[in-house]
Amino acid sequence: MSNMELLPLLDPADHAVEPCCPPLTERPFSAEEAETAARMFKALGDPVRLRLFSAVASHEGGEACVCDISDVGVSQPTVSHHLKKLKEAGLLTSERRGTWVYYRVEPSVLAAMGKLLTVAPAAA
């Protein structure tokens, strides 16, 4: 049984990395783009969530079992809550294997986040 979900930051019809929004320096965000970016940044604005996101992103093999990343100084139910918020923001995907849930950060999500925070190329 798989709990894999498509990430809302990316257009599933396009295989190229498409960030949710243009680079911050390109133009002002639309209301929808601002909502999407704010959801992502809000999820990463909590220190525990940022630690969990970093633990998953840096884990060997590109994925981490919840049992490997839950030592962040809060209870297991709180870890689950924070991982759920990261999934809702489109930053993580998960897959249940037996009794454990494995989380991963899709490389395209990191690339899309990087594009959002880069300086737009100057117009020629």
Side-chain angles (χ1 to χ4, degrees), residues 61-80:
E63 69 178 7
C65 174
V66 69
C67 60
D68 294 329
I69 60 170
S70 59
D71 187 20
V72 290
V74 296
S75 67
Q76 192 284 322
T78 303
V79 168
S80 293

Side-chain angles (χ1 to χ4, degrees), residues 10 14 19 22 25 32 35 46 54 67-68 73-74 91 100 109 114 124:
L10 305 175
D14 186 6
T25 58
E32 184 179 327
E35 286 290 329
D46 182 280
S54 173
C67 60
D68 294 329
V74 296
L91 299 171
W100 296 109
V109 170

